[in-house]
Amino acid sequence: MQLKPGLTGEAQAIVTEADTAARVGSGGLPVLATPRMLALMEQAAFLAVEPHLNPGETTVGTLAEIRHLAATPVGMRVR
């Protein structure tokens, strides 16, 4: 199947202690960890293409180029 460019998806979460850089070992601050941000981005990408997949098909991430430009503290929503 050939997917068309321009599909969009959205994932969101409230940042918890389990999502922090301090908890996942990617830094020492109680803010959203970059690995957790990447996981949300992968979820959004999957949700964008899921309606276009055939039964039994899924996606797999192979490349990510991201910038984490601002801190999101515990209790805030990230989208």
Side-chain angles (χ1 to χ4, degrees):
M1 165 196 318
Q2 185 74 21
L3 296 172
K4 295 187 191 274
L7 298 174
T8 60
E10 181 178 306
Q12 60 181 314
I14 301 294
V15 179
T16 68
E17 292 291 334
D19 300 315
T20 65
R23 180 65 64 87
V24 303
S26 66
L29 298 175
V31 296
L32 181 67
T34 302
R36 181 66 180 113
M37 181 182 76
L38 178 57
L40 281 171
M41 293 168 65
E42 287 186 321
Q43 181 183 16
F46 173 74
L47 292 173
V49 301
E50 182 181 29
H52 307 280
L53 299 176
N54 294 317
E57 290 182 330
T58 190
T59 63
V60 62
T62 59
L63 174 68
E65 187 173 329
I66 62 173
R67 294 181 190 191
H68 197 163
L69 300 176
T72 307
V74 172
M76 289 193 70
R77 179 179 306 275
V78 64
R79 177 178 72 117

